[in-house]
Amino acid sequence: MFKWYRQVSSLERKTFWACFSGWGLDALDVQMFTLAIPTIIAVFGIDKTQAGLISGVTLVASSLGGWVAGTLSDRIGRVRTLQITILWFSVFTFLCGFAQSFPQLIFLKALQGFGFGGEWAAGAVLMAETIRSERRGKVMATVQSAWAVGWGASVIFYTALFYFLPPETALRAMFMIGLVPALLVVYVRRSIPEPEKRAVPQSSGEKIPLVGIFAPEVLKTTILGALLGMGAHGGYYALMTWLPTYLKTERHLSVLSTGGYLAVIIVAFWFGCMASATLIDRIGRRRNVALFAICCTITVCMYLLLPLSDTEMLFLGFPLGFFAAGIPASLGALFNELYPAHIRGTGVGFCYNFGRIASAGFPVLVGYMSKSMPLGQAIGIDAGIAYGIVVLTIMFLPETTGRSLN
């Protein structure tokens, strides 16, 4: 599975670890919010719809950040943009710990999201352009597995802090831990050069058109990529934003039990990324995405819509996390291979992050629907629709396996 790691160059390894670390630390910051939703509702005196609104606003801001950062990486370089975005989301995650009201929290979360979306766009293009084409799918999917590592770390922090500290103190401490990713900038600055073939000309004065991804020859690709991003993000965020709250408030699990159930899903998510890494270069991007999307739709419906016991839910959590991982693990390679170099950062940033804008309504809708139906049912319906969009969209995109990034 990791044979490729011994065969790549020192630069490819350093770039891999920079992107892997950045994505894992992103997950640490973002997943802290989903774990803390019940406490946020209590501390700030808001309802579930307002809590969903925080998530929705963060996703919209991250979408804008991803598009802007993708375009910026085409102008000033991938590495420099990566450093800026890491610092940005780290600082604003930390500042969320000082919010005293709902408006302050939603404002700071929006700024955090702007940097978070930008970091993925810059890092994904940097990794794709650094690694050789025959290993691109495998390596990009492995980078995606860092999300499980960061997610797992957030659950550990959540379990420890909420077990030993009063809820409000633990909540603020979780946000303040978000400053840690800023240290990654030191490593990136010292170790990662700009990809030589993609370095931005210093004297040509050439400008990268922001609207280049809407040119006639790539317009269909951009529309389909955006819809794919919407389905992939909509399913994930509808499910993972509200799952900790569902386990705690409707299944009545304790903090320690909730952490245990989530641990199963997180470990499975990592294995799902590794399975996707193994399959994506063998069966192709389209088949890989379709396979995981269909399996994920079935599993989500079973997990949330059937009358399962706590033990059955624990065991079903593994396929839930496993299949949820395969779709995002495929997007990094696929989106990069859809666009030429001069608009690649813009295209990747737009498709991936437009999906976030469009998917921002899913967590909000779950919160709204839960007023008239059980929360688990609302999550299951929304996530099922989103993953269905993935299955339909991927049928109309070209197969890009082995495509050279020129």
Side-chain angles (χ1 to χ4, degrees):
M1 183 181 296
F2 298 104
K3 183 180 179 181
W4 63 266
Y5 187 79
R6 297 190 298 271
Q7 299 172 342
V8 298
S9 67
S10 173
L11 174 60
E12 288 173 312
R13 290 194 193 100
K14 290 178 180 178
T15 305
F16 167 78
W17 283 115
C19 296
F20 185 94
S21 301
W23 194 230
L25 291 167
D26 272 357
L28 173 67
D29 286 0
V30 173
Q31 294 300 139
M32 283 179 182
F33 169 76
T34 66
L35 293 164
I37 284 179
T39 306
I40 290 172
I41 289 174
V43 170
F44 292 94
I46 60 177
D47 58 24
K48 290 178 181 177
T49 302
Q50 289 174 303
L53 181 62
I54 298 175
S55 179
V57 168
T58 304
L59 290 176
V60 171
S62 69
S63 306
L64 297 174
W67 193 5
V68 170
T71 305
L72 192 65
S73 73
D74 285 334
R75 292 177 180 269
I76 69 171
R78 318 312 193 193
V79 176
R80 190 182 304 175
T81 304
L82 182 63
Q83 295 175 46
I84 293 170
T85 54
I86 291 173
L87 283 174
W88 183 285
F89 82 75
S90 299
V91 169
F92 284 106
T93 303
F94 174 76
L95 292 177
C96 285
F98 297 94
Q100 298 298 312
S101 65
F102 174 66
Q104 289 178 11
L105 180 62
I106 201 169
F107 176 73
L108 291 169
K109 282 289 294 175
L111 291 174
Q112 178 221 30
F114 189 85
F116 162 65
E119 191 277 335
W120 188 91
V125 178
L126 173 64
M127 188 73 256
E129 291 180 344
T130 302
I131 200 73
R132 58 201 74 180
S133 60
E134 64 269 21
R135 298 190 181 96
R136 187 180 302 121
K138 185 182 276 77
V139 175
M140 295 294 289
T142 305
V143 169
Q144 184 70 35
S145 73
W147 187 267
V149 177
W151 189 5
S154 72
V155 172
I156 293 172
F157 282 122
Y158 161 78
T159 304
L161 290 172
F162 278 83
Y163 186 78
F164 290 107
L165 298 174
E168 182 172 354
T169 304
L171 171 66
R172 298 188 184 283
M174 285 186 71
F175 281 128
M176 291 177 186
I177 291 171
L179 195 60
V180 171
L183 299 175
L184 180 61
V185 172
V186 178
Y187 176 79
V188 173
R189 186 178 182 87
R190 291 182 176 181
S191 305
I192 312 299
E194 188 69 30
E196 291 183 8
K197 292 188 294 184
R198 318 297 171 198
V200 178
Q202 298 298 315
S203 58
S204 66
E206 180 182 358
K207 293 185 177 180
I208 307 297
L210 185 63
V211 295
I213 58 172
F214 300 109
E217 61 270 20
V218 294
L219 179 60
K220 178 183 176 182
T221 295
T222 298
I223 293 173
L224 290 173
L227 289 173
L228 177 60
M230 180 185 72
H233 284 106
Y236 178 84
Y237 285 110
L239 179 62
M240 299 308 177
T241 296
W242 286 105
L243 187 59
T245 303
Y246 168 73
L247 293 174
K248 186 173 182 179
T249 61
E250 293 207 1
R251 302 299 300 198
H252 306 293
L253 299 177
S254 66
V255 168
L256 290 176
S257 296
T258 298
Y261 276 70
L262 291 176
V264 172
I265 295 174
I266 293 166
V267 171
F269 191 95
W270 186 86
F271 278 103
C273 287
M274 293 299 99
S276 183
T278 301
L279 291 173
I280 190 170
D281 288 326
R282 294 184 180 181
I283 67 175
R285 308 333 187 199
R286 296 172 72 244
R287 289 181 180 178
N288 195 59
V289 171
L291 172 64
F292 279 93
I294 292 170
C295 292
C296 197
T297 303
I298 296 171
T299 308
V300 166
C301 291
M302 291 176 61
Y303 190 84
L304 292 166
L305 302 181
L306 294 181
L308 303 175
S309 67
D310 288 350
T311 301
E312 289 170 336
M313 285 193 68
L314 181 65
F315 283 102
L316 193 59
F318 192 89
L320 179 70
F322 183 90
F323 293 123
I327 304 170
S330 307
L331 296 185
L334 174 61
F335 285 159
N336 272 283
E337 291 163 351
L338 290 174
Y339 291 97
H342 69 286
I343 57 170
R344 181 168 298 126
T346 306
V348 171
F350 178 80
C351 289
Y352 192 85
N353 289 288
F354 175 85
R356 282 198 179 121
I357 289 181
S359 70
F362 283 86
V364 179
L365 185 59
V366 169
Y368 177 78
M369 291 171 62
S370 67
K371 293 181 177 180
S372 57
M373 66 177 66
L375 179 59
Q377 186 176 341
I379 299 171
I381 292 172
D382 276 25
I385 292 172
Y387 287 128
I389 292 172
V390 172
V391 176
L392 290 175
T393 305
I394 196 63
M395 294 171 60
F396 296 97
L397 280 169
E399 180 56 61
T400 61
T401 302
R403 181 172 292 182
S404 175
L405 296 187
N406 48 34

